[in-house]
Amino acid sequence: TAIVTTCDSYTWIDGNTYTSSNNTATHTLTNVAGCDSVVTLNLTINNSSTGTDVISACDSYTWIDGNTYTSSNNTATHTLTNVAGCDSVVTLNLTINSPSTGTAIVTACDSYTWIDGNAYTSSNNTATHTLTNVAGCDSVVTLNLTINSLATGTATITACDSYTWIDGNTYTENNNTATLTLARPVGCDSIVTLNLTILESSTGVDVQAACESFTWIDGNTYTESNNTATHTLVNAAGCDSIVTLNLTIADIDSSITQNGNTLSSNLENASYQWFICTNGTVEEIPGATNQTYTPAENGDYSVRITIDNCSVFSECITVTLTSAYDLSDTKEKEKIKIFPNPAESKIRIQIPESSGSDIAIFNSIGLKVYSRQGYVSGEEINISSLKSGLYIVEVSLKGKHKHYVFIKK
């Protein structure tokens, strides 16, 4: 028996190549005695082996072949002897992983405790810490830290009566202790302290008395008494000052009663001045200041009634004396004329031998609406701003006051 152990295949003396174990094959030889020598084959075939060495490493790897690899490789081989004594061919499957680096960008308020366990109170861009990345290699992290500080401030505010702050509270008194925490764009809290000054609004009453009408500070003209109108101004503190109007419009009775030759004002306890208003002129009668007046000549007469600084003219009443004696032609009146009369926008006054007179124009209730000193005869007077109605022109000349009537269309 030929006992043979070999790897993969075996070519025996019979010329056959065996690739598997065999214990039946025989071969006849001639022994030294010249006789047949039958040899039986007892063959054991062992197989070579192969394998793959799967390796992951960081940066570089030195394999069993003694080579150092710095990049991934799946072609390198190395032959070993397996347990059967045959070749064992190993193929390398190497993955080279690289370490990683990174920067942790962090913004924090006041202080920050990082993964290295250190608490940083100021900005830092040099601290590092080593971790293991998902490939199992070092991961070096550099800290880029910005430390922001808490901010504080004061909101100085002045308001009237009350103020609703950003904290939602309404304050009616001075306050310098209230605080509110806000978030800033940099991520840190901002603590604001309120410094509030409360100023007070004021109120008042404007007591007024007027004749016929009154134009108040609100721009409105009132023709009746009023105690409800209000107007808002700004007081010295810069707050609202609400003024209420207490207005009294004088209501003067300008009617006259005629009893024979005597005229009487129907309003008592007033001041009176009687006028003669014949031929379109109104001339004050000196000394005629009583409630009653008895004319000494035929004509038209009126009275100016004054009370509480308000004056009103009565209508002209024609008096025809019961006596036939008429003094109207006994005195030559000065030739003073107003033209045109009626007038729309302008009048002129003709005053003979006048180098300068004082002129005043009164409306029907005795309010002076125009005055001019040193008026020269024939000068133009603009009356376009006057309301339509009856007006009295007072001409002061040589110490005497003459009154004339004209109508504004």
Side-chain angles (χ1 to χ4, degrees):
T1 300
I3 299 173
V4 178
T5 299
T6 189
C7 296
D8 298 327
S9 66
Y10 180 71
T11 300
W12 197 32
I13 55 176
D14 61 2
N16 295 320
T17 298
Y18 298 90
T19 58
S20 60
S21 297
N22 191 304
N23 61 4
T24 60
T26 61
H27 185 64
T28 303
L29 298 172
T30 300
N31 61 18
V32 293
C35 296
D36 288 340
S37 175
V38 179
V39 183
T40 299
L41 177 63
N42 187 356
L43 174 65
T44 300
I45 294 293
N46 293 318
N47 294 322
S48 296
S49 59
T50 61
T52 301
D53 189 10
V54 180
I55 302 291
S56 290
C58 297
D59 286 337
S60 65
Y61 182 72
T62 301
W63 197 34
I64 53 178
D65 62 358
N67 294 321
T68 298
Y69 298 90
T70 59
S71 60
S72 297
N73 189 303
N74 62 1
T75 60
T77 61
H78 185 62
T79 302
L80 301 172
T81 301
N82 61 18
V83 293
C86 297
D87 288 344
S88 175
V89 180
V90 183
T91 300
L92 176 63
N93 186 354
L94 173 64
T95 300
I96 293 294
N97 295 313
S98 298
S100 57
T101 61
T103 302
I105 300 175
V106 179
T107 300
C109 299
D110 290 338
S111 66
Y112 180 70
T113 300
W114 197 33
I115 53 178
D116 61 359
N118 295 321
Y120 298 88
T121 57
S122 59
S123 298
N124 188 304
N125 61 1
T126 59
T128 60
H129 185 64
T130 301
L131 301 172
T132 300
N133 62 17
V134 292
C137 299
D138 287 345
S139 175
V140 180
V141 184
T142 300
L143 177 63
N144 185 354
L145 174 65
T146 300
I147 293 292
N148 293 316
S149 300
L150 289 174
T152 60
T154 300
T156 301
I157 296 170
T158 300
C160 297
D161 299 329
S162 66
Y163 181 73
T164 300
W165 198 33
I166 51 177
D167 61 359
N169 295 321
T170 298
Y171 299 87
T172 57
E173 298 178 351
N174 295 343
N175 189 303
N176 61 2
T177 59
T179 60
L180 181 67
T181 300
L182 302 173
R184 297 187 336 190
V186 296
C188 296
D189 289 340
S190 175
I191 300 175
V192 184
T193 300
L194 176 63
N195 184 3
L196 174 64
T197 301
I198 294 292
L199 303 173
E200 295 183 355
S201 298
S202 57
T203 60
V205 178
D206 186 13
V207 180
Q208 295 287 347
C211 307
E212 190 178 45
S213 66
F214 179 73
T215 301
W216 197 35
I217 51 176
D218 61 0
N220 295 322
T221 299
Y222 298 88
T223 57
E224 297 179 355
S225 298
N226 188 305
N227 62 0
T228 59
T230 60
H231 186 61
T232 302
L233 303 171
V234 178
N235 62 18
C239 298
D240 287 345
S241 174
I242 301 176
V243 184
T244 301
L245 175 64
N246 186 354
L247 172 65
T248 301
I249 295 292
D251 184 11
I252 301 176
D253 183 1
S254 62
S255 62
I256 296 176
T257 299
Q258 183 175 6
N259 186 8
N261 294 338
T262 301
L263 302 175
S264 298
S265 169
N266 292 325
L267 181 64
E268 298 182 350
N269 301 318
S271 297
Y272 312 93
Q273 176 61 60
W274 291 89
F275 294 83
I276 183 169
C277 47
T278 303
N279 299 325
T281 65
V282 179
E283 182 177 351
E284 183 179 300
I285 303 173
T289 58
N290 294 324
Q291 185 176 353
T292 62
Y293 177 68
T294 302
E297 60 182 34
N298 293 336
D300 296 331
Y301 295 89
S302 175
V303 64
R304 182 177 66 202
I305 305 164
T306 303
I307 186 170
D308 293 332
N309 295 321
C310 292
S311 297
V312 63
F313 277 87
S314 71
E315 63 178 339
C316 291
I317 301 296
T318 300
V319 176
T320 302
L321 300 179
T322 55
S323 168
Y325 182 66
D326 187 352
L327 298 177
S328 61
D329 297 327
T330 61
K331 184 171 64 173
E332 180 71 18
K333 293 184 178 290
E334 292 181 308
K335 301 299 183 180
I336 297 179
K337 295 182 180 179
I338 299 174
F339 61 93
N341 190 6
E344 290 187 355
S345 59
K346 299 174 183 178
I347 62 171
R348 300 175 187 271
I349 305 174
Q350 179 178 305
I351 307 174
E353 301 178 1
S354 172
S355 61
S357 305
D358 293 338
I359 302 296
I361 299 177
F362 299 86
N363 63 16
S364 61
I365 63 170
L367 292 178
K368 184 183 291 186
V369 296
Y370 175 85
S371 65
R372 170 75 181 276
Q373 293 181 335
Y375 177 80
V376 177
S377 178
E379 282 187 325
E380 192 175 75
I381 299 176
N382 189 337
I383 60 169
S384 59
S385 62
L386 300 181
K387 296 180 180 179
S388 298
L390 179 70
Y391 290 86
I392 298 169
V393 178
E394 180 181 80
V395 181
S396 299
L397 183 63
K398 298 178 181 179
K400 295 182 179 181
H401 302 295
K402 302 293 182 179
H403 296 83
Y404 305 85
V405 173
F406 78 91
I407 296 174
K408 168 69 165 59
K409 291 183 180 180

